[in-house]
Amino acid sequence: MTAMTTGNSRADANRRRILDVALAELLRDPDASMDQIARAAGVVRRTVYGHFPSREALISTLVDEAVAALADADAHARDGVTDPAESVARSVLAVWEIADRYRLLIALAQRTVTVQGIRERLAPLRAGKVRLLQQGLDEGVFSSPLPAPALAYVHEQLLFAVTEAVNDGLLTAQEAGRSATVTVLTAAGVPASTATELVARVSEGKRKKPGG
């Protein structure tokens, strides 16, 4: 039993290391092969395939982990915030920190998992955003000709578009978070000046928080 537990622990550790190394390698080289990933992880190719039967399966697992991280960041950022506009601002800023880390992986996923696959994975996160947008529309904080579910899709695509703009060198990753957040808020009908001030205030609060 002890030997089996040790074997399982070693296998779990190998799997985790492969995933961590794969993420780093794919961010560095989007065309990294399974052989490259195996070498970087310090294991033989057979070990990688023992955990992941294909490159697509490996990337799919990384995408699942990214989506889970996005959902956690979103929930944590909005915890205790009652104003819909501030909730959206905090959510997008928090999600962008995760999205930027995975931005090249997202581009990869659009080719290997398909955009539809990403949309399906994001469904729970989107459902929460729909409720938040509906609250804002009901309270008059947001104003849009689109119903909340459609507006949630617009917000989602805006983030993907900003991600692609960063990937293509049209926008720096440093400025993208704030820009994306202001754009999402203005798309929901918040005046640009109000959105800019809100994002600046929330961003400043995020910077001050670690030091108290």
Side-chain angles (χ1 to χ4, degrees), residues 108-157:
L108 270 172
Q110 288 180 326
R111 295 199 298 268
T112 60
V113 184
T114 75
V115 173
Q116 185 58 35
I118 295 176
R119 283 180 176 165
E120 290 171 0
R121 285 169 165 81
L122 290 173
L125 186 61
R126 189 184 308 115
K129 190 59 59 66
V130 170
R131 289 192 294 270
L132 179 58
L133 291 171
Q134 188 61 60
Q135 177 191 347
L137 290 169
D138 292 342
E139 295 178 4
V141 176
F142 301 142
S143 175
S144 174
L146 297 173
L151 190 56
Y153 265 80
V154 170
H155 283 190
E156 196 172 285
Q157 292 306 308

Side-chain angles (χ1 to χ4, degrees), residues 74 77-93 128-143 148 151 155 181 184-186 188-190 194-195 198-199 201-202:
D74 171 69
R78 295 192 292 109
D79 185 37
V81 181
T82 57
D83 176 62
E86 184 175 342
S87 285
V88 167
R90 289 185 179 279
S91 172
V92 175
L93 285 169
K129 190 59 59 66
V130 170
R131 289 192 294 270
L132 179 58
L133 291 171
Q134 188 61 60
Q135 177 191 347
L137 290 169
D138 292 342
E139 295 178 4
V141 176
F142 301 142
S143 175
L151 190 56
H155 283 190
T181 308
V184 164
L185 287 169
T186 54
V190 177
T194 302
L198 174 59
V199 172
R201 177 168 59 80
V202 171

Side-chain angles (χ1 to χ4, degrees), residues 30-167:
D31 295 318
S33 67
M34 295 288 265
D35 284 339
Q36 287 175 260
I37 291 167
R39 286 196 298 273
V43 298
V44 296
R45 188 168 177 261
R46 185 178 59 211
T47 300
V48 177
Y49 278 105
H51 291 285
F52 307 100
S54 67
R55 186 173 181 275
E56 288 71 25
L58 174 59
I59 291 175
S60 181
T61 300
L62 286 170
V63 171
D64 285 340
E65 290 194 344
V67 170
L70 290 171
D72 183 65
D74 171 69
H76 183 72
R78 295 192 292 109
D79 185 37
V81 181
T82 57
D83 176 62
E86 184 175 342
S87 285
V88 167
R90 289 185 179 279
S91 172
V92 175
L93 285 169
V95 162
W96 183 258
E97 291 178 4
I98 305 297
D100 178 54
R101 180 182 171 195
Y102 287 97
R103 58 194 174 90
L104 291 181
L105 186 58
I106 289 171
L108 270 172
Q110 288 180 326
R111 295 199 298 268
T112 60
V113 184
T114 75
V115 173
Q116 185 58 35
I118 295 176
R119 283 180 176 165
E120 290 171 0
R121 285 169 165 81
L122 290 173
L125 186 61
R126 189 184 308 115
K129 190 59 59 66
V130 170
R131 289 192 294 270
L132 179 58
L133 291 171
Q134 188 61 60
Q135 177 191 347
L137 290 169
D138 292 342
E139 295 178 4
V141 176
F142 301 142
S143 175
S144 174
L146 297 173
L151 190 56
Y153 265 80
V154 170
H155 283 190
E156 196 172 285
Q157 292 306 308
L158 275 171
L159 291 180
F160 279 128
V162 173
T163 296
E164 290 180 1
V166 173
N167 287 345

Side-chain angles (χ1 to χ4, degrees), residues 169-202:
L170 304 176
L171 188 68
T172 66
Q174 289 72 26
E175 66 182 316
R178 284 196 184 197
S179 300
T181 308
V182 171
T183 302
V184 164
L185 287 169
T186 54
V190 177
S193 58
T194 302
T196 301
E197 290 171 6
L198 174 59
V199 172
R201 177 168 59 80
V202 171

